[in-house]
Amino acid sequence: MADLRRSTPPPPSAWNLANAVTVLRFLLVPVFGWLLLRSGGDDTASRVAAFVTFTLAMLSDRADGELARRRGIITDFGKIADPIADKALTGMAFVGLSILGELPWWVTGLVLAREWGITAMRFVVIRYGVMPAGRGGKVKTALQAVALGLYVLPLGAGFDPVLYVAMTLAVSVTLITGADYVLQALRLRRAASNGSSAG
C-alpha cells in the first residue's frame, strides 16, 4: 500500500507557467480598458494600442491551454480562472464600446447575461456532472474576438457593414451556444435524477 502511495504523482501546483499566463490576461484587462476609453476613444494611437493589447490577451488564452496540456500542469485553478479571464476581457471590450456609444447597450447586456449566466449555471449543475467547453464555445470566443477587435480598431465609416456583419454573427453564435449549454445542463440533471431513482 505504501508503495502504491509513493507511485501516485502529486497533483500539479497552481504556481506554474500556464496559470501565470492566465493571471497576466487578468492584469491586461484594466490596461486594455484604459487604452480603449482614453480621450473618449478618439485617440488613434491609444485605440491601436488597445487593439494590440486585446489581441495579445486573446492569443494568450490559447497559449496557457497548450502549456497546461503539454506539460501536464492542468489545475483546478486554471480550469476556473481561464474562462473567467476570457469573459473579463471580452466583457471589458463590450462595456467599453457601449460607453463610447459605438455598440448598443442592449447588445452588451444580452451577451453579458449569456456569458455570466452560463458560468453561474456551470457551478450550479457541477454536482450532477461537468459541462465541458465544446467546439461551439471555442467558435463563439473566436468570433467575439474578431468582431470586438474590428470595433476596437479606429476604422473608417466605410468598414461599418463589415463590423455589423461580424458582430451579428458573433452575437448569434453566442446565443445559440448558450441555448445548447442550457440543454446540456437539463440533460445532466435529468440523467442524475433518473440515476437516483434507479438506485
Side-chain angles (χ1 to χ4, degrees), residues 29-112:
V29 173
V31 176
F32 162 70
W34 177 75
L35 289 168
L36 176 63
L37 298 173
R38 187 168 179 265
S39 300
D42 293 328
D43 185 73
T44 300
S46 293
R47 291 294 288 257
V48 172
F51 171 79
V52 172
T53 303
F54 178 79
T55 301
L56 289 175
M58 291 304 298
L59 290 176
S60 75
D61 176 40
R62 184 175 181 84
D64 59 12
E66 288 292 331
L67 278 170
R69 286 187 292 271
R70 190 180 306 132
R71 299 191 178 189
I73 50 176
I74 297 174
T75 64
D76 289 339
F77 172 83
K79 290 177 184 178
I80 295 172
D82 184 65
I84 292 177
D86 293 342
K87 288 173 175 55
L89 181 65
T90 55
M92 179 68 252
F94 276 108
V95 170
L97 290 167
S98 291
I99 289 173
L100 295 174
E102 299 177 21
L103 192 65
W105 275 107
W106 68 264
V107 172
T108 294
L110 201 60
V111 171
L112 294 187

Side-chain angles (χ1 to χ4, degrees), residues 8-196:
T8 303
S13 170
W15 296 92
N16 60 58
L17 184 58
N19 287 343
V21 174
T22 301
V23 171
L24 175 63
R25 190 155 69 258
F26 271 113
L27 297 176
L28 287 176
V29 173
V31 176
F32 162 70
W34 177 75
L35 289 168
L36 176 63
L37 298 173
R38 187 168 179 265
S39 300
D42 293 328
D43 185 73
T44 300
S46 293
R47 291 294 288 257
V48 172
F51 171 79
V52 172
T53 303
F54 178 79
T55 301
L56 289 175
M58 291 304 298
L59 290 176
S60 75
D61 176 40
R62 184 175 181 84
D64 59 12
E66 288 292 331
L67 278 170
R69 286 187 292 271
R70 190 180 306 132
R71 299 191 178 189
I73 50 176
I74 297 174
T75 64
D76 289 339
F77 172 83
K79 290 177 184 178
I80 295 172
D82 184 65
I84 292 177
D86 293 342
K87 288 173 175 55
L89 181 65
T90 55
M92 179 68 252
F94 276 108
V95 170
L97 290 167
S98 291
I99 289 173
L100 295 174
E102 299 177 21
L103 192 65
W105 275 107
W106 68 264
V107 172
T108 294
L110 201 60
V111 171
L112 294 187
R114 181 275 187 207
E115 296 287 21
W116 293 105
I118 295 299
T119 299
M121 187 182 68
R122 282 174 181 271
F123 284 107
V124 170
V125 302
I126 199 168
R127 56 183 168 171
Y128 304 118
V130 176
M131 288 196 310
R135 186 174 300 175
K138 295 177 181 178
V139 172
K140 178 266 301 181
T141 301
L143 289 173
Q144 284 187 6
V146 171
L148 290 169
L150 289 172
Y151 268 82
V152 170
L153 273 175
L155 300 174
F159 285 89
D160 283 353
V162 177
L163 270 60
Y164 296 151
V165 170
M167 186 58 71
T168 298
L169 187 58
V171 172
S172 298
V173 173
T174 297
L175 297 178
I176 291 169
T177 54
D180 183 58
Y181 280 126
V182 171
L183 292 175
Q184 283 187 49
L186 292 174
R187 283 195 292 266
L188 273 175
R189 183 172 181 177
R190 193 178 303 118
S193 299
N194 290 341
S196 299

